[in-house]
Amino acid sequence: MEAAYENGLNLKATELRLGLPGTDNESEPQTSSPCVQNNNKRSSSEMDTEKQESVAPPPKTQVVGWPPVRSYRKNVLQQQNNPESDGSGMFVKVSMDGAPYLRKIDLKFYNNYFDLLKALENMFKCNIGVYSEREGYNGSEFVPTYEDKDGDWMLVGDVPWDMFTTSCKRLRIMKGSEAKGLGCCNL
Amino acid sequence: MAYSFPEEVLEHVFSFLCSDKDRNAVSLVCKSWYEIERWCRRRIFIGNCYSVTPDIVIRRFPKVRSMEMKGKPHFADFNLVPEGWGAYVYPWISAMSVAYPLLEEIKLKRMVVTDECLELISKSFKSFKVLVLSSCEGFTTDGLASIAANCRNLRELDLKESEVEDLSGHWLSHFPEHCTSLVSLNMSCLGSEVSFSALERLVGRCPNLKTLRLNRAVPLEKLPNLLSRAPQLVELGTGTYSSEVRVDIFSNLSEAFSVCKQLKGLSGLWDAVPAYLPAMYSVCPGLTSLNLSYATIQSPDLSKLVSQCPNLQRLWVLDYIEDSGLEALATSCKDLQELRVFPSDPFGAEPNVSLTEQGLVTVSEGCPKLQSVLYFCRQMSNAALVTIAKNRPNMIRFRLCIIEPQAPDYVTLEPLDTGFGAIVKSCKELRRLSLSGLLTDRVFEYIGTHAKKLEMLSIAFAGDSDLGLHHVLSGCESLRKLEIRDCPFGDKALLANAAKLETMRSLWMSSCSVSYGACKLLGQKMPRLNVEVIDERGPPELRPEICPVEKLYIYRTVAGRRIDMPDFIWTMDEDAALQHS
């Protein structure tokens, strides 16, 4: 390979030095590049063995934004392929009436309703109270509700936990005053 | 010379000029041509919303009727641009609401649009006709309700893959009963169910409706109701394409499709059930565009389907199609121009389908018009790329994503420099290229030497040194957009090619080796560039100057520094040193 690039650069004018392939870039500042392990040039045969040895991968850590698949697409596929979800979490948005912004939680993180409600109480600094089958969260300042797969708004706690986690699309913590007078689950 | 041609004549002549390039050229001829042209320019396209201000645009072009604008860098699609980065459209809408009362069209991509914006649009522009929000976010279905309710002559409402806060499906019911002007409606990105009867009535009373893209919530059994009311449809996006298998549903569907004689494009097909695919066979011969990228059907059914579409020009599909399905495609679809194959399981460690480089090679052999490719796969070889290059010198867009970063040629274990080199050497009209796999500086030398028409280049986990970046910046004459992530490119190439950056729209570099010091220097040297350092670790001033920045976004601008930046972005300019005290 000819060194045509050497001629075109007018290196003196820029006072920068660009090395030829195969030479060390000794003027390269020693910065820690968080990404690439092999900054130095190497001949292809060396590289082969390096690559092969390092190719036995430990459990994959996901690189942000790679492969470059849009979240929009990822979400749709996830819903289709994994109704019980795979290892990558079941994130749902949580809104609370009166709060300026939403939060997101991973439903897989919790084992039961008690844990979930405690976490929500902590996150939003609110009082959710105790669920009862007959009266829901009657008397509580805040009432947790969720939108299920059919688009209906349900009271958190009505269905078994596993059914809840697979059908819950998003959560909304309503003011207790708005939820009063509800005999059944549809809001 | 200014007296020889009356203005009206010149204006009439200029009205035939549609491309911005031509209009810009005309503006440079002389002062009077500049003046005449600017008063009659009706469409503007702003590729980077921060390259200019609303005031500057409005001052120069007082009579605009259609505006198109883009905001966030492309890598925002892959979560590389932090939340709060910017691209707020409100200042533009606000200024235009005063300056352009006759505005008819707004098309935005990757911008933050609020309900407030949508309401302002709906109330400010009496002749408003077209709203396209592509990959936008920040608004809710309440904003859509304003548009539906107030835009009396709305022709097009397209929410292409935007992230909409879906409060309810009620917005659709806000279209007044006397609204009959719709030509195009794309609500495929919405989750909530709309009132079906409202939708039915809307579709039924819009005789010019040509494009209808439903959302997943519209059940398959109801699709015939809509099709029978809109047999003139040219583009259809179905809702969910799944239902319990029933003969009556099938025959209704089949009959409904058979009435749609103009149908050229089909999409949607969520959860597609193979049993219902034959219902659409009657429209297949007429299809030029087919988007199966949400259809989780397997290769045999996919093969059968594409074999029925001899006029297909564009196919988007999941890798379930496999090499065998691509073979069927290559055999049946000789007019194919664009192919996109998406991964069904992008994060799986092992391949879940038999889709390899062979599929792409086969299509490149069988489809002489193939010019645009987006292909996700798990293995590639130089030999395959060389073959593809030889088969398809007419390639214009080539985006290859080998899922494993830095994956070598799986046969020889060499870098894929030769393969991509063959692509740029052979495909002289190549405008867009995305690289992947194991690549050294050599591939960039090939690109710099041969890719003279290349306008957009995407690089990830590639290269060895600054030489790579230098080849690209110094060699690619037509380069407009360069986006780089996780490459060992540092200060030298960037500083040596600073002037090049003014000829481009933008440069994105993240997880590379560009130091804060170099960013400052660049910002100070180049007043017509905004050099923006994005660093969520805190102010770069608190770290040594040689420390590399997390992310860097550089773009040319006449607007000066941004004033809407969040606290993790810093503009490098003469005041950079004074900013942080």
Side-chain angles (χ1 to χ4, degrees), chain B residues 420-470:
Chain B
F420 280 106
I423 295 276
V424 293
K425 223 168 164 184
S426 163
C427 308
K428 303 204 189 317
E429 300 299 313
L430 195 71
R431 296 202 307 251
R432 184 167 180 184
L433 179 64
S434 298
L435 305 170
S436 58
L438 183 66
L439 297 164
T440 72
D441 283 346
R442 200 160 296 172
V443 74
F444 298 113
E445 191 190 343
Y446 296 146
I447 292 173
T449 307
H450 297 285
K452 296 304 181 187
K453 301 275 181 76
L454 192 67
E455 296 178 9
M456 181 168 179
L457 179 61
S458 308
I459 310 173
F461 304 104
D464 306 312
S465 75
D466 273 63
L467 198 50
L469 180 57
H470 176 73

Side-chain angles (χ1 to χ4, degrees), chain A residues 160-178:
Chain A
W161 173 254
D162 286 332
M163 193 188 287
F164 165 73
T165 57
T166 53
S167 60
C168 171
K169 269 172 44 184
R170 56 190 286 162
L171 285 156
R172 177 182 161 203
I173 303 176
M174 281 177 73
K175 288 219 170 67
S177 49
E178 280 183 38

